[in-house]
Amino acid sequence: MRELSLSQGWLLKVRNHSLSLAEDLADDQGWLPASVPGIAHDALWQAGLIPSPYESPSLPKLTPSFEQDFIYRLRFSVPEPLRNGPLRLRCEGLDTFAEIWLNGHKLAQTDNMFCEHYLPCADKLREGEQELVIVFSSALRAGKDRQKRYGVRKVWNGDPSRVYVRKAQHHFGWDFGPPLLSSGPWRPIVLDGRSVRLLELRCPLTVSEDLSEATLTLHPVLHGDLPDIEVLTVTLRVLDPQGQEIFSDTDSLPGTGGQLWRSLVIKSPQLWWPVGHGPQPLYRCELTVHHEGEVLEQKTLRLGARRVQLQQDFVQNSDGESFYFLVNNRPIFCGGANWIPPELSLPRIARDQVATLLDEAIAAHMTMLRVWGGGIYESDDFYDLCDEKGLLVFQDFAFACGLYPGHRAFADSVAEEARQAIVRLRHHPSLVIWAGNNEDYAIARSNNLYDGPRSDIPAPAAPDEPVCFDGRTIYEETLREVCGACDPERSYWPGSPYGRQSSDPNDREDGDRHIWEVWHSPQRDYQDYDALCGRFVSEFGMQGVPSLATLTKGLGFPPDGISVISGLNKGDGGPERIQHYIDRNLPAPSDLATYIYATQLVQAESLAHGIRAFRRAFGHDLMRGCGGALVWQLDDCWPGVSWSILEHYSADMAKAGRPVRRKASHYSIRRELAPLHLGAAWQTEGRFAVWLCHSGASALRPEQPRLRICGLSPSGERLFSEERPLSQPFHENGVTELGAQSLPDAKLIVLCELLDGPNRMAKTVLWPQPLKDLGLTDPEVLLEEHETPDPLVRRVRITVTRPAKALWLSAGEDAVFSDNLLDLLPGEVAEITVKDPALSPIRVMGLHSLAALHPR
Ligand code: BMA
């Protein structure tokens, strides 16, 4: 097709404001090679002019560069066939304040990194070599200028001027990572000579209520620059997931373009399911535009046939309404996590890196990711992979933790950004909901600027008047309207969190909820998560310090103690909050290695307590008290200390085929989200409840289930044992309460097992809380290693003579364990494998490794 990718040969320099732009361009000094797509700071870093933005000691040295402007320049020639015809410069993403010049003519000025720009330029070409220049000015300066004009607004995280700037908000610095206020063409630039362009291809595939048929509407909108041509031939085809054509039609449009509508009914559609619930068949819809044998435009989209409903209805014995998703009429508990961009420098993000991170989410039995509003509308790769893998996506619009302005020009820019994002993403079956923002209602409420959904939306205040929550107009009017017009089939939710009845956007019985009473103020115990549950928990989290290898990367040197890593923690009072939870729950760690272990154990326990409570509240039928639990946060954008459950997995690591480093919480989450899960929780000292969670996956139906419960003393004597058949029918896609039970001694460790014939289908160990009072002595861990046919893989058999809590195995930096963080009791055998290219000796830590193992 008639396109020229402008990705090679770019140069960049820091703009010298003592010269005019023409003089600066003429000055040969200071030009560096630059990648496109790319950002200026990557070029500076590669040239050795700045230190690595990924190392915490670099930050003070980088800060002055955030106020710099940059010139990108490309000299190129236009191939002859492209010259005759319409030409546009297609800038798929410019971050953020850019002036675009072609051969001395200004083509445009931009201020929204989330928008693609089509700039007509045929009449600006000259003979011979062309010169394309893009001048990027500092987003920080631009934001501060706007702030001067319109007033300072409240934010949590980052410089407050960020609310005026349509740029990924975490670039201004967030509590999980440092600022990187760079600029540049972060998505491709293409010289686009297509004479016919597909403006949009709308193709909703809706499944009937009884799932027996699906209706596919095809609605392409084309623009053509060929007024002299009377007939363009447009072919539309639909292929089933096996590649068989199930529809084909040809029509014609004039050379100026136009629109077509087609509709077809697919009988017995192959349904697309979330991972763990069924397959992910993808239909294909193809459009081709020809003229006299030449293909002028082409597009293929993959579609999934699924029926998704957000259920907001009655919940028995409670006020408020439910918030859960039905997919193909099946209630789905959305266990999952929040996704942030996996690199500080967005153009570095690679498809393999994303694919591996998504596989890690699936390995932890997650079904949903929330693309958080402080990041970006992710790449097509991200959503394509979610479609293929069956991960549901909860998609925020790109706003987070701020009082955004509601004035017209700003809202218009947002409307265009949203329209483009929706048109690009709406065909993805993985995408199940749009949400207006992250925590903007919460910050408004905390400043007494929000009284609930029925109050009036304020008009923008003058700069000298007190700030108001005028940004509400964006979530309740602008975005709602764009979603209604461009994607009416999908749910739109004004914010996360938000409630449609309550004046508290973070209400426990209305809408979704972010649970930060644990970790942030008032630092509630994680054992209390059940009392904090919401109808859909879209955020809750606990920090965990990553491994020594990752810390070393984030510092640029190996840490020799705990205090030196504090610069890697950008969270408000981060190290102190971690310490608070260690003090409440664990014996004191004695050195950096046991400290890392202790933080990861607290994180793992905390998230497990949360998921266990929230999943239990999924209940059944008319008692869906909680529809999902999304951990804050899956991944990291740099090698720092954060709430992530995976350590920073860089594009470079992905390229080198290295594995992801999991924090201990990955394993505890995986257990809590297992399709068949036995839950247990203390009700009072010495009394506990047991329940069974079932995800609906068909292979997991015990035939003759029995429940066995044993009580063990901390030294391992079995003081209590009981086994009974489970006679009650259990709820599929939900929770079956199995009753409560008292123990002869409050300090017993409880082993709960679900048995089916000779098989153990599920196991849970309930430990007296807090763990620091347990008084565990050395469990005498025995590891037996065996070779396997793969020389890099060892099989490890683990046994103990006394109860062991949270055994953590480690080996070389790139070792991958099939399971880890094991609770093991005398008489049990754990068999796992480890793949370790370094074949390093295996080390084991456990709760018993922490010093001062005595009750406090
Ligand atoms: C959440 C997120 C982020 C933040 C996290 C941890 O609410 O939305 O803003 O990183 O809290 O504080």
Side-chain angles (χ1 to χ4, degrees):
M1 263 191 310
R2 297 160 53 90
E3 290 190 344
L4 175 68
S5 161
L6 301 180
S7 59
Q8 303 295 320
W10 287 87
L11 297 175
L12 161 156
K13 77 187 304 201
V14 177
R15 173 84 173 90
N16 176 354
H17 282 287
S18 64
L19 303 177
S20 70
L21 180 56
E23 289 166 347
D24 211 358
L25 283 167
D27 181 356
D28 285 342
Q29 301 298 305
W31 291 98
L32 310 170
S35 301
V36 173
I39 55 168
H41 281 71
D42 269 341
L44 298 178
W45 179 22
Q46 257 152 34
L49 299 176
I50 56 168
S52 163
Y54 285 78
E55 289 176 5
S56 71
S58 306
L59 190 53
K61 292 176 215 140
L62 292 181
T63 312
S65 69
F66 298 161
E67 305 245 6
Q68 281 173 336
D69 300 345
F70 299 94
I71 309 177
Y72 275 75
R73 186 184 74 194
L74 177 69
R75 295 192 175 137
F76 66 103
S77 358
V78 180
E80 216 39 55
L82 268 189
R83 279 196 166 257
N84 345 302
L87 266 188
R88 289 177 180 79
L89 192 66
R90 186 170 87 228
C91 303
E92 296 185 7
L94 300 173
D95 177 8
T96 294
F97 293 91
E99 275 179 14
I100 304 122
W101 299 79
L102 183 61
N103 300 326
H105 304 281
K106 187 163 158 183
L107 298 185
Q109 187 153 349
T110 70
D111 65 356
N112 187 330
M113 80 176 271
F114 303 117
C115 287
E116 179 174 75
H117 302 275
Y118 271 95
L119 311 172
C121 62
D123 58 343
K124 310 290 184 305
L125 291 190
R126 60 188 182 196
E127 287 305 309
E129 198 179 53
Q130 318 295 319
E131 186 182 66
L132 177 60
V133 169
I134 309 183
V135 184
F136 288 93
S137 49
S138 153
L140 185 60
R141 265 200 355 257
K144 285 187 169 163
D145 285 350
R146 291 178 176 190
Q147 179 173 267
K148 237 180 251 157
R149 252 180 293 150
Y150 298 112
V152 182
R153 291 169 168 266
K154 292 268 190 287
V155 294
W156 293 326
N157 293 297
D159 189 276
S161 65
R162 69 177 171 79
V163 297
Y164 292 109
V165 180
R166 295 312 294 142
K167 173 173 175 57
Q169 297 287 280
H170 78 99
H171 284 173
F172 290 79
W174 217 262
D175 57 6
F176 55 72
L180 181 57
L181 276 163
S182 193
S183 55
W186 73 293
R187 283 188 165 156
I189 299 184
V190 176
L191 193 63
D192 184 338
R194 287 175 299 167
S195 48
V196 175
R197 283 183 301 134
L198 181 67
L199 299 182
E200 50 179 285
L201 175 53
R202 189 163 176 171
C203 41
L205 177 55
T206 47
V207 176
S208 64
E209 205 176 322
D210 65 359
L211 312 179
S212 66
E213 57 181 43
T215 307
L216 174 58
T217 308
L218 302 169
H219 177 202
V221 182
L222 289 146
H223 171 89
D225 288 305
L226 303 169
D228 299 336
I229 292 178
E230 280 173 23
V231 176
L232 295 172
T233 310
V234 184
T235 304
L236 284 163
R237 290 175 76 214
V238 179
L239 310 180
D240 75 8
Q242 289 68 38
Q244 294 295 317
E245 185 179 280
I246 54 171
F247 174 85
S248 173
D249 198 9
T250 298
D251 205 335
S252 59
L253 283 176
T256 49
Q259 1 193 340
L260 295 173
W261 276 272
R262 287 294 181 278
S263 178
L264 63 139
V265 172
I266 304 172
K267 295 275 178 209
S268 308
Q270 301 177 46
L271 296 176
W272 183 96
W273 288 95
V275 58
H277 291 268
Q280 289 77 41
L282 294 170
Y283 289 83
R284 292 169 82 86
C285 156
E286 294 177 0
L287 168 135
T288 318
V289 183
H290 322 249
H291 180 64
E292 291 178 353
E294 192 191 349
V295 173
L296 302 179
E297 175 66 309
Q298 213 166 21
K299 182 84 178 174
T300 300
L301 296 178
R302 295 188 306 173
L303 313 172
R306 89 284 187 273
R307 175 175 153 86
V308 175
Q309 294 153 279
L310 171 60
Q311 286 298 106
Q312 292 181 275
D313 52 28
F314 178 72
V315 182
Q316 235 166 48
N317 304 330
S318 87
D319 295 333
E321 51 187 22
S322 61
F323 192 110
Y324 69 97
F325 291 92
L326 285 170
V327 182
N328 303 329
N329 301 340
R330 179 185 293 177
I332 304 285
F333 179 76
C334 295
N338 284 268
W339 170 272
I340 64 167
E343 295 285 357
L344 280 176
S345 162
L346 299 170
R348 297 178 85 88
I349 301 173
R351 185 185 166 96
D352 287 355
Q353 178 187 20
V354 172
T356 305
L357 288 166
L358 298 182
D359 285 340
E360 284 294 310
I362 290 169
H365 294 307
M366 294 183 176
T367 45
M368 178 180 269
L369 294 178
R370 169 169 173 251
V371 177
W372 167 72
I376 55 171
Y377 310 97
E378 286 292 337
S379 64
D380 293 343
D381 282 344
F382 177 89
Y383 303 94
D384 283 342
L385 288 162
C386 288
D387 290 348
E388 286 168 19
K389 294 172 189 291
L391 283 164
L392 302 174
V393 176
F394 183 125
Q395 176 71 48
D396 283 4
F397 285 97
F399 299 87
C401 303
L403 286 178
Y404 287 85
H407 54 261
R408 204 58 261 159
F410 188 80
D412 287 349
S413 178
V414 170
E416 178 55 16
E417 147 195 340
R419 196 194 60 77
Q420 291 191 12
I422 295 169
V423 166
R424 179 168 70 90
L425 302 178
R426 65 188 164 191
H427 63 280
H428 289 283
S430 52
L431 184 52
V432 293
I433 188 170
W434 296 103
N437 65 75
N438 173 75
E439 295 186 357
D440 294 353
Y441 282 91
I443 189 168
R445 170 80 177 171
S446 78
N447 286 283
N448 294 319
L449 296 173
Y450 179 66
D451 287 338
R454 270 169 289 276
S455 55
D456 289 337
I457 303 178
D464 51 344
E465 287 172 356
V467 174
C468 60
F469 186 24
D470 49 333
R472 247 183 98 182
T473 183
I474 289 173
Y475 321 126
E476 292 173 40
E477 290 172 358
T478 313
L479 294 174
R480 191 190 285 286
E481 281 160 20
V482 183
C483 285
C486 301
D487 197 17
E489 292 81 16
R490 203 170 263 113
S491 295
Y492 172 72
W493 188 241
S496 178
Y498 178 79
R500 62 178 181 178
Q501 317 288 343
S502 175
S503 57
D504 176 3
N506 209 25
D507 195 285
R508 288 185 199 170
E509 300 194 319
D510 185 15
D512 69 325
R513 171 155 224 270
H514 294 189
I515 303 183
W516 285 109
E517 290 91 332
V518 177
W519 178 263
H520 286 301
S521 176
Q523 292 192 281
R524 290 276 298 263
D525 289 332
Y526 56 71
Q527 289 85 351
D528 296 344
Y529 266 127
D530 56 344
L532 301 168
C533 186
R535 292 300 188 220
F536 188 99
V537 181
S538 32
E539 281 186 16
F540 68 110
M542 175 65 63
Q543 284 194 352
V545 173
S547 64
L548 203 56
T550 297
L551 293 174
T552 302
K553 247 178 121 189
L555 287 168
F557 55 86
D560 55 4
I562 296 168
S563 57
V564 68
I565 65 173
S566 63
L568 291 171
N569 195 330
K570 304 295 173 194
D572 178 31
E576 295 76 23
R577 287 174 197 275
I578 291 180
Q579 197 57 49
H580 168 86
Y581 284 98
I582 292 179
D583 291 346
R584 300 274 303 167
N585 290 288
L586 300 180
S590 51
D591 56 12
L592 183 58
T594 47
Y595 175 75
I596 294 172
Y597 169 77
T599 71
Q600 291 202 18
L601 176 55
V602 160
Q603 185 190 32
E605 284 284 297
S606 172
L607 300 179
H609 271 84
I611 295 175
R612 194 174 283 196
F614 309 148
R615 195 174 173 194
R616 183 184 190 187
F618 189 49
H620 56 87
D621 306 332
L622 296 174
M623 304 188 57
R624 302 286 182 192
C626 176
L630 306 181
V631 169
W632 180 263
Q633 64 200 71
L634 180 74
D635 57 319
D636 247 338
C637 60
W638 80 310
V641 175
S642 81
W643 298 261
S644 75
I645 62 166
L646 302 172
E647 303 185 6
H648 180 232
Y649 183 63
S650 65
D652 291 344
M653 289 171 84
K655 244 174 249 152
R658 297 180 67 182
V660 178
R661 294 187 195 123
R662 297 168 172 168
K663 292 184 189 169
S665 51
H666 189 273
Y667 298 94
S668 69
I669 292 170
R670 171 158 99 182
R671 280 189 195 106
E672 297 301 328
L673 289 178
L676 188 69
H677 175 68
L678 204 52
W682 299 110
Q683 290 185 317
T684 51
E685 275 218 345
R687 191 171 167 78
F688 63 97
V690 185
W691 62 89
L692 184 65
C693 300
H694 189 271
S695 76
S698 56
L700 296 166
R701 286 197 186 91
E703 309 260 299
Q704 291 180 315
R706 284 171 296 125
L707 179 67
R708 183 162 68 197
I709 293 181
C710 298
L712 289 83
S713 72
S715 55
E717 293 105 321
R718 291 194 179 226
L719 299 178
F720 168 86
S721 177
E722 183 192 283
E723 193 171 318
R724 62 178 159 96
L726 293 180
S727 47
Q728 66 263 61
F730 64 92
H731 296 286
E732 296 199 352
N733 311 316
V735 177
T736 310
E737 293 291 336
L738 303 178
Q741 192 140 2
S742 294
L743 289 171
D745 178 346
K747 285 280 173 282
L748 292 194
I749 299 161
V750 183
L751 170 65
C752 308
E753 294 164 294
L754 178 72
L755 307 169
D756 192 18
N759 301 324
R760 180 159 83 173
M761 310 272 297
K763 157 197 168 180
T764 277
V765 187
L766 187 62
W767 300 83
Q769 298 288 325
L771 292 173
K772 67 180 177 182
D773 292 344
L774 250 179
L776 287 187
T777 47
D778 186 349
E780 294 175 10
V781 181
L782 185 67
L783 293 187
E784 289 170 40
E785 292 182 31
H786 301 276
E787 287 179 359
T788 70
D790 182 339
L792 302 184
V793 176
R794 285 168 282 170
R795 197 161 53 75
V796 189
R797 188 173 186 277
I798 312 156
T799 51
V800 292
T801 50
R802 276 183 286 282
K805 172 68 191 163
L807 292 180
W808 180 245
L809 281 67
S810 54
E813 268 181 22
D814 287 342
V816 178
F817 290 87
S818 62
D819 199 2
N820 214 331
L821 198 76
L822 306 164
D823 290 353
L824 208 57
L825 301 173
E828 289 188 306
V829 179
E831 297 243 15
I832 63 168
T833 56
V834 52
K835 180 171 185 179
D836 181 11
L839 292 174
S840 311
I842 297 172
R843 297 178 300 272
V844 193
M845 265 195 223
L847 181 63
H848 63 280
S849 316
L850 299 176
L853 265 178
H854 51 77
R856 281 191 245 175

